[in-house]
Amino acid sequence: MPPALRARRPARRSPIVLVSNREPFEHQFGPDGSIAISRPAGGLVSALLPVLERHGGAWVAWGSGDADFAVTDADGVVALPPAHPTFALHRLRLSAAEIHGYYTEMANRALWPLCHYQFQHFGFDQSGWRTYRRVNARFAQAALAARRTPDAAIWVHDYHLASVAGHIRHLAGPRPFVHQFWHIPWPAPDVLRALPVARTLVEDLLGNDLLVFQTPRHRLNFLASVADQLPRARVDLDRGLVRHARRTTTVRAVPISVDVAALERRASRPDVVAEARRIRRRLLGRRGQLILGVDRVDYTKGIRRRFDAFTRLLELHPELRGKVTFLQVAPPSRPGIAAYRALQGELQAEADKVNSRFGTPSWRPLELRMEHFDPRALAACYLAADVCLVSSLQDGMNLVAKEFIASQHGHAGVLVLSEFTGAAEDLDGAVLINPYDIGSTAEAVVAALAMGIGERRVRMAAMRRQVKAHTIHHWTATILREVARLRRGT
Ligand code: ADQ
């Protein structure tokens, strides 16, 4: 094993213990037996890595890479990032049966579609639920063990780990301060009723001292769900307090954001600016405009309908043929789930269809890149685009929208944004769409392409002011301030 990869525990105290399903770094064996390190795509890791790089501490996560345990110590711990370790990653080893029940079945076939209102993908079985709770209990134990001091707060993330706080109460009583951020939407109470174990899920979440959602809408949905599932709980909607089983949970909304300064710096680098020019030249030739989509391959992101809207645009506006190109960057995700594999195939087939129907020897209308991009390549795409199109059917926040804004230092890009994203509630200046309305989405993109430079600048400047005033560091500080306030009891 290369010495740089060997486990070294950082000497500093652990002020935060983060707990998430996805790990921030993954180790994989190459074909020659060497070990490579990578950062998985996804909003959660992009959002939290700067937090631990800044604060230090411990991170508990599933060790999903095939070489993960080759670089840890006997307890599954490795110091990261490799060059300048700032935190200790505690990796949990999960069996194939655990991964199936906890991750594939309960998290991604039950909770994910339900929270995104996608009933056609929703499925539930009791054995997946039992495994989910057992695995959540393992995360709870690992989080308690990762604390350097008994008063370290435990910060749990997302829908994979809804039962962790409940297990911590069971294992360690009322003392440890536990809080959770729910990255995806929380559905309306009637939707939650489809989940046979909704009541236990809500009770487990009320094991948290503080529970934070992306938007006021999701927060209200949760409070209404508590009233619906637990009629004896006391719910104070105005103050966001729930009193249940002799405990109080504070419920807040704090929209997540991005590392604006880092994204802006990256998009200003001469090599990124040059790459953005190359992308435009390659995809547009001498003239033309670029529409950009960036999403994990996921049915909630509305990529299929987005392709339909682009087709409609080309049908209804023949004058735009040869003058606009749509670049869709879409790294495959959750390959273990059939619906995701099928979607990947469908998107490729649809892109081929658009290109063979409208393409010419000198113009390829839809460029679909189903691969992971490194941060600089992604920054060049954001910078190159005239229009960024986000058409999620539901989305907790959508970091792509904010990354685009942070990268557009030229102020000339237009954001076309689904009204069903948390970002739409958080930003003024985007052109809002209902992604189910294909015709109106197509017309909104046409309007964005035709928008004068003056209006583009005004809109982008407004959005840039908003994201600069609410960066990922503000998000962290707001949540940690609330944690401190609650711990003081004020
Ligand atoms: P996601 O559903 O993963 O996140 P999103 O917020 O859009 O969605 O974040 C996607 C992230 O993946 C972005 O940081 C983007 O840069 C990155 N990414 C996308 N394509 C990539 C590619 N080809 N190569 C490299 N990186 C790529 C969940 C919720 C969201 C919520 C976040 C954070 O579903 O609603 O905003 O968590 O809370």
Side-chain angles (χ1 to χ4, degrees):
M1 189 201 310
L5 292 175
R6 209 160 284 142
R8 255 182 309 132
R9 288 172 195 253
R12 54 203 292 184
R13 284 156 54 96
S14 302
I16 302 176
V17 177
L18 281 178
V19 190
S20 71
N21 168 69
R22 179 65 71 211
E23 55 182 347
F25 291 94
E26 204 173 60
H27 289 91
Q28 297 278 2
F29 284 116
D32 59 352
S34 63
I35 294 176
I37 186 166
S38 68
R39 263 182 61 182
L44 190 140
V45 169
S46 312
L48 293 180
L49 203 54
V51 176
L52 268 201
E53 282 176 352
R54 206 174 236 219
H55 292 258
W59 191 323
V60 177
W62 164 32
S64 52
D66 62 8
D68 269 356
F69 292 93
V71 300
T72 61
D73 65 14
D75 299 328
V77 183
V78 58
L80 287 168
H84 304 286
T86 50
F87 65 93
L89 176 63
H90 295 242
R91 285 174 164 156
L92 275 188
R93 198 192 289 270
L94 300 184
S95 70
E98 284 177 323
I99 294 165
H100 180 75
Y102 145 78
Y103 178 76
T104 307
E105 284 300 310
M106 188 60 205
N108 286 324
R109 219 168 63 86
L111 291 176
W112 176 268
L114 198 68
C115 289
H116 290 89
Y117 297 78
Q118 300 297 306
F119 277 104
Q120 72 279 29
H121 295 290
F122 173 66
F124 173 85
D125 79 68
Q126 290 288 345
S127 84
W129 166 242
R130 281 194 296 274
T131 309
Y132 178 89
R133 285 197 95 236
R134 262 201 315 276
V135 170
N136 270 236
R138 291 192 54 203
F139 273 94
Q141 267 160 352
L144 290 168
R147 293 176 305 167
R148 289 280 174 87
T149 57
D151 66 338
I154 298 173
W155 189 2
V156 185
H157 285 268
D158 227 357
Y159 66 101
H160 312 86
L161 301 174
S163 298
V164 166
H167 285 295
I168 288 178
R169 295 301 161 221
H170 187 69
L171 292 165
R175 292 278 315 249
F177 190 94
V178 188
H179 58 120
Q180 183 150 5
F181 187 75
W182 193 263
H183 290 253
I184 67 175
W186 188 274
D190 278 354
V191 173
L192 190 70
R193 281 182 174 219
L195 186 71
V197 294
R199 183 194 157 108
T200 310
L201 190 90
V202 168
E203 279 189 307
D204 282 348
L205 279 167
L206 292 176
N208 282 290
D209 295 290
L210 169 67
L211 185 54
V212 184
F213 293 91
Q214 298 272 23
T215 69
R217 184 192 305 272
H218 304 149
R219 170 181 169 274
L220 261 186
N221 280 344
F222 179 78
L223 292 169
S225 300
V226 174
D228 191 44
Q229 295 291 332
L230 303 168
R232 297 177 62 170
R234 284 217 312 273
V235 179
D236 182 335
L237 285 183
D238 295 332
R239 294 166 67 211
L241 297 177
V242 177
R243 184 84 193 149
H244 176 67
R246 295 191 299 280
R247 294 186 40 76
T248 300
T249 301
T250 302
V251 185
R252 294 273 179 265
V254 185
I256 202 166
S257 188
V258 292
D259 191 340
V260 179
L263 285 157
E264 194 173 41
R265 256 196 322 274
R266 191 177 299 138
S268 308
R269 292 169 55 115
D271 57 331
V272 170
V273 175
E275 178 58 20
R277 269 200 217 104
R278 269 196 297 276
I279 293 172
R280 289 186 69 87
R281 212 174 311 124
R282 190 170 60 76
L283 295 178
L284 307 174
R286 284 176 184 282
R287 63 201 179 121
Q289 288 182 291
L290 183 65
I291 305 167
L292 174 71
V294 178
D295 320 72
R296 288 182 301 100
V297 172
D298 193 302
Y299 51 79
T300 63
K301 301 292 181 184
I303 309 173
R304 210 24 242 279
R305 283 186 172 79
R306 193 180 310 168
F307 287 5
D308 291 346
F310 184 58
T311 304
R312 186 75 60 89
L313 178 156
L314 295 176
E315 283 169 353
L316 295 179
H317 293 274
E319 75 282 4
L320 290 176
R321 295 183 195 165
K323 294 193 186 134
V324 293
T325 298
F326 179 13
L327 169 61
Q328 174 67 53
V329 179
S333 71
R334 304 178 190 167
I337 301 167
Y340 285 73
R341 289 193 302 275
L343 180 59
Q344 220 175 299
E346 264 178 51
L347 292 179
Q348 190 59 63
E350 200 52 38
D352 293 345
K353 218 162 85 190
V354 172
N355 285 329
S356 65
R357 180 171 166 203
F358 296 103
T360 65
S362 59
W363 174 59
R364 194 177 154 77
L366 204 170
E367 171 113 345
L368 174 60
R369 299 279 301 273
M370 287 211 250
E371 59 199 271
H372 189 86
F373 276 34
D374 70 39
R376 270 187 245 164
L378 209 52
C381 293
Y382 286 135
L383 194 59
D386 296 286
V387 171
C388 180
L389 177 52
V390 175
S391 59
S392 312
L393 305 177
Q394 277 290 327
D395 218 328
M397 179 51 56
N398 193 282
L399 294 181
V400 166
K402 294 188 174 181
E403 289 169 8
F404 173 66
I405 295 166
S407 307
Q408 279 279 326
H409 45 74
H411 290 59
V414 184
L415 176 63
V416 178
L417 181 63
S418 162
E419 63 177 285
F420 305 126
T421 58
E425 290 182 51
D426 207 26
L427 296 168
D428 296 316
V431 175
L432 294 187
I433 53 162
N434 177 332
Y436 291 98
D437 185 343
I438 306 292
S440 302
T441 299
E443 290 306 338
V445 174
V446 172
L449 291 166
M451 196 181 279
I453 188 70
E455 185 176 351
R456 285 171 180 237
R457 291 228 158 100
V458 168
R459 284 174 178 265
M460 184 50 84
M463 293 191 290
R464 284 173 63 79
R465 270 196 304 277
Q466 289 159 30
V467 295
K468 283 184 176 182
H470 298 280
T471 69
I472 186 69
H473 302 305
H474 290 92
W475 174 79
T476 319
T478 306
I479 291 175
L480 295 182
R481 238 191 344 263
E482 184 66 353
V483 167
R485 188 185 72 79
L486 291 170
R487 297 189 89 174
R488 280 196 312 270
T490 56

